[in-house]
Amino acid sequence: MARRRSAAEHLPVEAGVGDAQCLPFPDRSFDAVLSTYGAMFARDAGATARELVRVCRPGGRIALANWSPGGVIDEVFAVLHRHRPGSPDLTRSVAAGGTAGKVCALFPAARVDAAARHFDLRCTSCRAWSETFLRSFGPAAPDPADTSGTATVLRAGLLRAFGNHTSPDGPGVRIRHAYLEAVITPLP
């Protein structure tokens, strides 16, 4: 997706795949290191934070957007974990990186400027967004061979989670997504 988008926008962006806990870049490679709802899901948050600092040049910045505890995505992850046997508990990642205190603890040798933020996703209905979510978020995709009724229960749980954060918006709805914005300045 990143490659297609950068090409469409004529941006000189190079996309790659790597392990956030062991980034494939030399020390001090970047002026800015960014993660939008990504690094927070690495298995070892401390190792990931150290890697982000390692690849950031002196005077550079690390910017994170992490889902917030109690927000719609946190609720959705709880629903998935309850109704998808064997699925990872993604709410742990939200709890580990979604508050200013947790981010400060991950970056002890840095100045952390953090603020609670949100964006409103506009859609025709909670049901329409639930179906889109089920189609596009891999861990949520229903198993076509499942005849246990799990998909029905999962859909109902997602509708409740989205509904808890919804307000009317003309003929559609707005679903509020809470996140933490953190800008980290490593200290020399």
Side-chain angles (χ1 to χ4, degrees):
M1 175 95 167
R3 286 185 182 106
R4 286 193 313 256
R5 180 70 187 263
S6 62
E9 300 289 333
H10 305 291
L11 297 172
V13 174
E14 187 176 316
V17 176
D19 181 347
Q21 299 163 144
C22 185
L23 294 170
F25 305 108
D27 294 357
R28 303 174 174 196
S29 297
F30 301 100
D31 295 323
V33 180
L34 312 171
S35 172
T36 306
Y37 319 117
M40 68 182 290
F41 294 108
R43 287 188 195 277
D44 185 335
T48 301
R50 288 187 295 278
E51 278 295 279
L52 298 177
V53 170
R54 181 186 67 77
V55 300
C56 188
R57 289 187 180 135
R61 302 285 186 280
I62 300 165
L64 305 176
N66 292 345
W67 297 118
S68 297
V72 67
I73 296 300
D74 193 29
E75 284 189 44
V76 165
F77 289 164
V79 168
L80 291 175
H81 186 62
R82 255 191 323 274
H83 301 296
R84 285 273 181 249
S87 68
D89 185 359
L90 298 176
T91 62
R92 291 179 187 207
S93 298
V94 173
T99 66
K102 297 286 186 165
V103 172
C104 287
L106 288 171
F107 295 91
R111 187 181 89 223
V112 176
D113 296 306
R117 303 275 190 226
H118 72 271
F119 68 88
D120 289 336
L121 185 137
R122 290 174 168 82
C123 54
T124 56
S125 69
C126 285
R127 184 171 307 283
W129 178 237
S130 294
E131 292 304 315
T132 299
F133 188 83
L134 286 167
R135 280 193 312 276
S136 38
F137 185 65
D143 178 359
D146 180 16
T147 58
S148 69
T150 300
T152 301
V153 175
L154 177 61
R155 279 182 167 83
L158 289 176
L159 280 172
R160 272 192 305 281
F162 290 131
N164 290 339
H165 300 272
T166 299
S167 58
D169 185 33
V173 296
R174 285 182 310 212
I175 303 172
R176 177 143 297 178
H177 289 64
Y179 67 96
L180 179 76
E181 174 189 274
V183 177
I184 298 111
T185 307
L187 301 175

